[in-house]
Amino acid sequence: MQALGVPSLLLWLMLGHSCADGGKVNKHKPWIETSYHGVITENMDTVLLDPPLVALDKDAPVPYAGEICAFKIYGQDAPFEAVVLNRTSGEGVLKASSAVDCESQKEYTFIIQAYDCGAGPSGADWKKSHKAVVHIQVDDINEFSPVFRELLYKASVTEGKIYDSILQVEAWDQDCSPQYSQICNYEIVTTGTPFAIDRNGNIRNTERLSYDKEQSYKIMVTAFDCGQKRAKEDVAVHIDVKPVCKPGWQGWNKRVDYEPGTGSKQLFPKMHLETCGGPLSGVRVTVELQTSHIGKGCDRETYSEKSLQKLCGAASGSTDLLPAPSPSTNWTASLLTDSGRDSDLIYRFDGRQAANVPDHVVPQNLTDQFTIATWMKHGPSPGVRAEKETLLCNSDKTEMNRHHYSLYVHNCRLVFLLRRDFTQVDTFRPAEFHWKLEQICDKEWHYYVINVEFPAVTLFVDGVTYEPYLVTDDWPIHTSKIDTQLTVGACWQGGEIATPRFTQYFHGSLSGLTIRPGRIETQKVISCLQACKEGLDINSLESLAKDIKFHFNPAQSVLVVEGEDVDSINTAMTKVSYINSRQFPTPGLRRLHITTTVQCYGEDTCLSIPDIKAVVMVLPPSELRITIAGSNRLVRPASDLRGPPGVAPFKELHITSTVMKGDSFGGSRRPGVMEVMHNLDYCDILVIGEELDPERESLEIHHSALLGKHLDATNSTSGISIYGVDSMAHYEQAVRQVRYRNWQPDLLSERKFRLTCSELNGRYTSNEFNLEVSVLHHSVHVEHVNHMAAQPQYMRPVHHPLMIHSVNSHMSGAAPPAATVVIVVCIAALVVIVVIGVYRIHATHQEGSREDEEEVKDPEVDWNNSALTITVNPMENIRGPQALDEEVKEGDHAEEEEEEEERVAGMTSAESDNSDEDEDEDEGVKERVLKGKLEWDSSSITY
């Protein structure tokens, strides 16, 4: 009643009683408040209403009519019900008919009406109150824990900076009320970290981070709602520390190992350019391979100059003015050589050395067309006005000091002087040709070729053509009978001074100085002679972006890559490779230098990219071993050597090459020997002992043996040299066809040769293969009997196992063929008789056999026989047992004498048919002994 208010209730009662109609029982409708406001806690069923739920009826205290029987709720799915607690007082309560969830619905609004009990027990004639609006608010409880929106948070920071916020973590709560759904606090669970977090989830660093000290951090973070309920699961936060962003290339190695024979190898497979996020309009990258310390500027073929010219298809007829020192080319012996350059022949001139080229080497007539070529390495000359430095000079040997032609350097200018004779021209003609080039004094190797087509002169430097910037004319030289002197490294001053001497010395290095009269060199040959075998390359050109532009210099030692997009540049740089096409490259370091220029929009340059310096390490190639094998001895009758074809000493020759493959090459390969195929550049056959006598012998190879091969040959009394870059098989074929011939073999007992072969101008050389050619003579001087034919093998003198010694023939004339047959038949019979006698004496004097053996060991022991004296060739021990057995059998079986005579006679007549059979076969040696290589002088035989 207090809730309804005493004044209003009294007013309502007075008005009700004054209007009462005593004739009617249920005269009035129940009365309730017009609106109610309630609160219910979720998961509870009782609603606290303001004001309380009470219904009044003016018909009270009339039974039934003045009582409240029910409250009815009208609304969509309102999960509530009203219950009457006291019918008389009209009190009721509002309860939840089902579970109320704040997260599902926070508020409810519905209509409620009160009903009285009617006129009687039956409830008839009941009345209802007016409609009242009920507003219910659902109170929240803290039933949910905070949940982070991400399973993992990541961030990166740059070292050395203090951040206000590195990243923000965020959690949320399913509770419906602000009190429980809001996150009021975050906390870092991990202890000892240089980070802090505020109530909004912002994480910051509390100190400057160092990339060197720690490159990444992992911390755990939790959250609390405003009801101080903690998150059920903490969240991980990863923070990476990056070094201070410095624009430049990243992901590259300072050293790249290159294994010979692997082709093209990528240099920077993971390299990329860091620009620190700046917008760029273009990138230009220059990659330079520095090989000036390798050979003559880069890894080139190190074959001899003649072999290289043959390999490149140059015309023959050039003269090498700086050959390797040898007995026949001794004018370079006094010059300084720069050894240790992978068999590259380099001469170093320090201003005190020069060499006079012998007259027989110098081309006598250069004609109007000729070529001078050389490798040169030269630096600036000391002094303001340095004197001339002469590479090549042809001047008067005596009396006068005229320069007919010369090539010299003066103040970093290359000058070629050519003074013609009056017999060639008689007018004022071009005489000096000048070129001013940076290459002349840059202290690097360059290949210079001067092509002369008088009066035009063209200079090629590393294959690029240069015309002279200055040409001066002069009168031709008057003809004279004064000899000229060709000099390398200086100029000969032979006249107008008391003592002839060198002058205008050269300071620098030279290699491969040649002169070819009669024709000029072609561009193709010049490019081949100076071509580098190593350089830069780009793999998979088709995979490059369209905006990428690149170009190489002629030597492929410099590569320029340009593009607008950083990603395209990065892709292009990963394709840059090193390649070395030599089978046996020069090992060692090759330096790489990379420079980068970055352009930004509206600016020339905006970022400074540091240069890169790296190295390519070319690993040593597998150790190569060239082996020459074959028969070391050749025995031939004198008639074979005398014949037109002569003999082929190296007919059974074999050339092989092997390498040792170890774990250092390739890693997984097992050590072992593997046969390989490669080229050779020369094979020399030298005569051991006295040189060849051209009057009676020759060592030569027919030109047809070189056809179809890149080979040439020169011979002298010292031997023969086959040269040119070609396969081992072609060299083997050529050497096998070398022929030795002797017109007077009676004066020769043996001739020895030594064969060696080379690859890369002596960098790899074969074993020294020695061969002996022995001559089998026909003995005719019948004075003594040599016991060697009857001696057992163990009693014979021991000789070289591959050498047959023969007795020189003293025959003064040859017997007619028919007489020879008769003589041999008769002598064979006598030999049989002698052998039988020896055998019987040996059988009857066994006790004294040891003394006899000691006597017969002397090859000079003679048997005296008044009727017959016989000289027999001393045979080598390899045929002793067979010979003795056959002779003993002949003594025991005298009835076969006649057949044996016929057989020996028949084989003797066919002795000239024997030629190039295998001399190392014992069976072959026995056959040649039985075929009757002995001739007898019938003049001393008594029949």
Side-chain angles (χ1 to χ4, degrees), residues 2-52:
Q2 292 176 351
L4 291 173
V6 175
S8 60
L9 181 61
L10 290 176
L11 178 63
W12 181 82
L13 290 173
M14 291 173 64
L15 291 175
H17 283 284
S18 64
C19 299
D21 186 3
K24 194 174 181 179
V25 176
N26 194 1
K27 299 178 180 180
H28 301 93
K29 297 186 293 185
W31 178 90
I32 57 175
E33 297 285 349
T34 58
S35 65
Y36 295 90
H37 294 276
V39 175
I40 185 172
T41 301
E42 63 177 340
N43 300 327
M44 302 293 287
D45 59 353
T46 302
V47 179
L48 298 178
L49 283 178
D50 183 22

Side-chain angles (χ1 to χ4, degrees), residues 511-579:
S511 179
L513 177 59
T514 61
I515 185 169
R516 175 185 285 107
R519 61 183 303 171
I520 61 173
E521 205 59 271
T522 63
Q523 175 81 45
K524 181 179 179 181
V525 172
I526 293 172
S527 298
C528 175
L529 290 172
Q530 61 90 35
C532 287
K533 295 299 180 180
E534 65 178 341
L536 299 172
D537 192 16
I538 291 184
N539 291 337
S540 305
L541 293 175
E542 64 279 358
S543 64
L544 297 181
K546 295 181 179 180
D547 65 318
I548 293 295
K549 300 177 182 179
F550 66 91
H551 61 271
F552 293 92
N553 68 333
Q556 282 194 229
S557 60
V558 177
L559 167 64
V560 178
V561 181
E562 295 179 279
E564 299 176 357
D565 182 62
V566 175
D567 292 336
S568 300
I569 287 289
N570 290 337
T571 302
M573 290 302 294
T574 61
K575 306 295 182 181
V576 177
S577 304
Y578 169 82
I579 187 171

